[in-house]
Amino acid sequence: MLSGYGRDARILIGANALGQTFLWFSFFIMPFYLKALGYGMKAMGVFFSAQTIVGGLFFLLAGPISLRLGYRRTLLLSALAGLAGRVLQVSAANWGVLFTGFVLVGVNMGLRQPNYNAYLSELVPDDKRHEAFSKSFGLGTLFNSLGVLLAGFLPGYLMGLSLAEETAYRVTFSLSILQFIFVIPALLVVRDVEVKEKRIRWERALILKILKFSLPSALIGLGAGITIPFMSLYFKIRFGETLSAISYVFFFQQLAMGLGSFGLPELVRRYGPVRVITSFQGTATFLFVIFPSIETFVPAGAVYVLRAILMNIIWPINSSFMMGFFKTEEKATANGIQQAFSTFMRGIGNSLGGTLFALSLAYPFYATALLYAVATGLFYTFFRRYN
C-alpha cells in the first residue's frame, strides 16, 4: 500500500496511523473521564477552551517555529509536549495539574497538523500527493475506529471487575499515552527536509491565497463547533442510549471513513479536487438539514455516519490541494493560519452550540447547515478554475 513512497514517508504515515488509535480514543472518552473525576460541565468548558485557544495560538506559531527548527524537530517538540500533557491528565493530581495537561495537549495540537501536512507533502512526489494524504488519513481513521470502540467498552468491563468508576476511567484514559510511544521513536529515525528559505516574503498574492483557504475553513469550524462536541450527549438525551451503543456510531463513522478514503484519489483523478470537495460538502449539508427530524436512534446514527464521512473524508484532499499552492517555506505557516481560523471559530461555535441546544435540539443543526452551505459556495467560487 505504501511501497510507492520513500522510507521516511512510509515511517511517517505508519507511525501516524498507529498513534491515531489513541487520538479519537482520548477525545471520545474525555468528557466521561472528567465526569468520573468529579468535574462538572463548567470545569470541562474551561479545560476544553484552554486547549482550543492554546491550539489556535500554536497553529499561528507552527510555521515560524518550523522555519527555525525544521519540520521533523518541530513535530518531535509537539509530540513531547503532547506526551507530557497526557501524563498530567492521567495523573490529574489537582485542578492545576489537569489544566496544565490540557494546555500542553493544545501545544501538541497546534504544532502537529500543519507541520505533518507540510512534511508529508515534501516527502512524496507532487503526482502522488493526493494519494499519500488520502492513504495517511485512511489508515489513521481505521485505527481511530478501533480506539473509539475500545473507549466505549473498556470502562464498563473494568467496572465489571470491581474497579471503582474513577479508577476504571483513569486506567482507560491512560492508554492515550501510547499515541506518543509510537510517534516519538519514528520521528527520531526519519530525516528532515531542508528548508532553504528561512523567511517568508509576505506579498499580497500570498496573503490572498491563505485567506481564500482560511475563510471557508473558518465557517466550517464555526459550524462544527456548534454541533460536533455535543453529538454523544445529543444521542443520549434524544434517544436515551448507553455509552457503548453510542460508541458504535463513532466506530462505524471512523471505519467507513477509513475504508472510503482509499477510493478517493480515483474520484479526484476523474472529477478533480474542487468538484469532489464541494459535492461531498454539499450533500453533507443537506443531511444536517434533515437530521433533527429523524426520530429513532438507528436511522439517526446511520445518517450521522454518512454525513461525517462526506464532510470529513475530503479533508486530506483539501489539505493536499492546498499544499500545491505554496512553496516549501510557506506550507506550514499557510496551513497553520488556516487551522487557526478554523480552531478559533470552533471555540466560538462551542459557546453558540451550548446556547442553541438549550433552546432546541434542532436549531444547532440548521445553523451548522447554513454555515456549511456558505463555506462550500465560497470554496467553489475561489477555486473552481483550478479543478
Side-chain angles (χ1 to χ4, degrees):
M1 176 182 287
L2 303 178
S3 58
Y5 312 132
R7 165 190 172 272
D8 290 345
R10 293 198 303 271
I11 291 173
L12 192 68
I13 292 171
N16 176 70
L18 291 171
Q20 290 287 313
T21 307
F22 303 99
L23 183 60
W24 260 86
F25 169 96
S26 60
F27 290 156
F28 180 79
I29 201 67
M30 181 60 81
F32 303 97
Y33 171 58
L34 292 175
K35 185 175 180 296
L37 292 177
Y39 292 98
M41 297 291 283
K42 185 176 180 181
M44 290 184 201
V46 172
F47 293 142
F48 296 153
S49 293
Q51 179 175 304
T52 301
I53 292 169
V54 171
L57 290 173
F58 274 86
F59 277 133
L60 295 175
L61 295 172
I65 290 174
S66 67
L67 288 178
R68 288 182 174 273
L69 300 181
Y71 293 138
R72 185 187 71 89
R73 281 188 284 184
T74 304
L75 286 170
L76 187 57
L77 175 64
S78 164
L80 291 172
L83 174 61
R86 290 298 187 214
V87 169
L88 293 179
Q89 287 175 334
V90 170
S91 164
N94 53 51
W95 190 94
V97 168
L98 195 55
F99 181 84
T100 305
F102 276 95
V103 168
L104 289 172
V105 170
V107 173
N108 165 255
M109 180 179 75
L111 291 180
R112 179 190 168 277
Q113 196 61 48
N115 283 289
Y116 179 82
N117 288 342
Y119 190 24
L120 182 59
S121 75
E122 291 291 313
L123 291 176
V124 297
D126 282 348
D127 62 341
K128 290 183 177 291
R129 196 173 62 245
H130 287 320
E131 180 184 283
F133 274 65
S134 292
K135 286 182 177 179
S136 176
F137 177 83
L139 287 171
T141 307
L142 287 175
F143 280 92
N144 261 335
S145 68
L146 299 177
V148 170
L149 200 61
L150 179 63
F153 281 87
L154 188 56
Y157 174 77
L158 293 175
M159 284 186 280
L161 297 178
S162 301
L163 267 68
E165 181 184 28
E166 178 183 332
T167 304
Y169 276 99
R170 193 188 298 271
V171 170
T172 301
F173 185 74
S174 68
L175 296 178
S176 63
I177 292 171
L178 293 176
Q179 175 186 352
F180 304 101
I181 303 303
F182 293 121
V183 171
I184 290 173
L187 291 172
L188 291 173
V189 299
V190 294
R191 294 181 296 274
D192 212 340
V193 174
E194 183 182 2
V195 180
K196 295 179 181 178
E197 286 284 343
K198 294 298 182 182
R199 68 183 189 86
I200 296 172
R201 294 185 177 90
W202 287 100
E203 298 171 346
R204 181 174 179 272
L206 174 61
I207 295 170
L208 285 176
K209 278 192 294 184
I210 293 174
L211 287 175
K212 284 180 178 180
F213 281 102
S214 297
L215 290 176
S217 290
L219 292 172
I220 288 174
L222 179 60
I226 289 172
T227 51
I228 304 306
F230 302 93
M231 286 311 304
S232 57
L233 292 175
Y234 173 85
F235 284 122
K236 185 173 182 60
I237 294 169
R238 180 80 192 272
F239 305 111
E241 292 298 327
T242 63
L243 174 63
S244 58
I246 294 168
S247 73
Y248 271 119
V249 173
F250 294 92
F251 165 71
F252 284 116
Q253 167 192 316
Q254 299 296 312
L255 180 65
M257 277 199 302
L259 294 173
S261 65
F262 296 121
L264 204 57
E266 181 57 35
L267 286 177
V268 172
R269 276 191 289 270
R270 185 171 298 182
Y271 301 108
V274 177
R275 287 197 190 101
V276 171
I277 290 167
T278 53
S279 61
F280 275 41
Q281 286 185 350
T283 307
T285 299
F286 170 74
L287 292 177
F288 245 173
V289 172
I290 66 171
F291 185 77
S293 63
I294 302 173
E295 296 183 354
T296 53
F297 175 64
V298 174
V303 169
Y304 180 73
V305 168
L306 180 58
R307 182 223 65 87
I309 294 168
L310 292 168
M311 199 69 201
N312 295 319
I313 200 173
I314 46 84
W315 281 114
I317 298 301
N318 192 306
S319 296
S320 174
F321 179 64
M322 180 181 182
M323 291 296 98
F325 283 79
F326 298 96
K327 300 175 184 176
T328 299
E329 69 273 11
E330 297 169 350
K331 289 180 178 180
T333 297
N335 194 227
I337 292 172
Q338 180 207 28
Q339 300 260 11
F341 267 76
S342 177
T343 300
F344 286 132
M345 295 304 286
R346 186 181 290 262
I348 294 171
N350 292 163
S351 299
L352 290 175
T355 302
L356 289 172
F357 270 113
L359 296 173
S360 165
L361 291 179
Y363 290 169
F365 297 101
Y366 299 144
T368 295
L370 176 62
L371 290 164
Y372 281 2
V374 175
T376 303
L378 279 176
F379 183 85
Y380 184 76
T381 301
F382 291 153
F383 298 109
R384 65 177 182 265
R385 67 192 179 101
Y386 299 103
N387 191 59

